[in-house]
Amino acid sequence: MKSDAPETLLPQVERGPSARLPTPHGEFELETWQDHGSGTEHLVIRKGELAGAQGVLVRVHSECLTGDLLGSLRCDCGPQLELALARIQQAGQGAVIYMRGHEGRGIGLAQKLRAYALQDQGLDTVDANLALGHPVDARRYEAAAAILQALGVASIRLMSNNPLKLLALREHGIEVVERESHQTDAQTHNAAYLATKRERLGHLLEGDAPAAAPVAETAEAGI
């Protein structure tokens, strides 16, 4: 998988064990991938033959325990993951690259909870991270690119609203032939969070969000 971007040094990744993964959306293959540079173990949830395939639906999904596992309404992470699986099942081919170590845009779970407390005092997700001395977004995508290359995918259609994620993958040698909108329904609990994504982080979100819930119920420091 190549793009016209300059070559970048990618970490060495190694495929680990895999198993059949039946889900409410359909049956997938779940694989572990070890990043030998950072020691982080990522996941790939895939369907169909990907080696040599063109225009494969791909979601590079940042780990969000509160949204993905606990169903937090402060963000849209869980619904985006569910939507990605549903879209891949419908297409009959695709992959979710589940990036562990990306919690809270890369600041970690404990710091994300500290950011929550600041958000409950009125800061948005950007200012909460900055107030804690962290970057606005500390995530990196070299491992995701290395995994996609190791899978042998020729080109991808990226399910994402984040243009910087698309740019990062292209800079790391991934041919992204299309960015596909990946938007879920907004609700009062994540209205402020989505507005921050759109207005301060440049995410390409459409439509008007509903009125925000009280500050104590808004805004996720996630993806």
Side-chain angles (χ1 to χ4, degrees), residues 18-65:
S18 64
R20 182 177 63 89
L21 181 69
T23 77
H25 302 289
E27 188 166 299
F28 300 86
E29 189 77 9
L30 180 65
E31 303 172 343
T32 61
W33 283 81
Q34 185 76 29
D35 175 354
H36 290 294
S38 67
T40 304
E41 192 173 56
H42 303 290
L43 296 171
V44 172
I45 310 166
R46 66 178 180 86
K47 190 176 191 67
E49 181 56 50
L50 304 184
Q54 300 275 355
V56 176
L57 270 178
V58 168
R59 167 77 181 165
V60 177
H61 188 87
S62 294
E63 176 182 33
C64 177
L65 183 144

Side-chain angles (χ1 to χ4, degrees), residues 44-95:
V44 172
I45 310 166
R46 66 178 180 86
K47 190 176 191 67
E49 181 56 50
L50 304 184
Q54 300 275 355
V56 176
L57 270 178
V58 168
R59 167 77 181 165
V60 177
H61 188 87
S62 294
E63 176 182 33
C64 177
L65 183 144
T66 50
D68 298 338
L69 179 62
L70 301 178
S72 170
L73 298 179
R74 297 174 74 131
C75 66
D76 59 347
C77 305
Q80 282 192 318
L81 178 59
E82 296 289 334
L83 178 60
L85 294 176
R87 293 181 64 179
I88 290 168
Q89 174 65 22
Q90 184 176 25
Q93 182 190 59

Side-chain angles (χ1 to χ4, degrees), residues 126-143:
V126 169
D127 288 334
N129 273 27
L130 293 174
L132 291 169
H134 299 299
V136 172
D137 191 338
R139 294 173 296 178
R140 301 185 66 89
Y141 297 99
E142 291 95 329

Side-chain angles (χ1 to χ4, degrees), residues 142-188:
E142 291 95 329
I147 291 169
L148 286 167
Q149 289 192 357
L151 287 168
V153 180
S155 63
I156 71 171
R157 289 178 290 141
L158 183 66
M159 293 182 282
S160 177
N161 307 314
N162 184 355
L164 294 181
K165 186 182 294 185
L166 180 150
L167 179 61
L169 290 174
R170 283 180 170 164
E171 287 178 344
H172 297 319
I174 302 304
E175 183 177 354
V176 184
V177 295
E178 186 176 359
R179 183 199 65 84
E180 297 205 357
S181 177
H182 196 67
Q183 188 168 344
T184 58
D185 292 337
Q187 35 80 14
T188 56

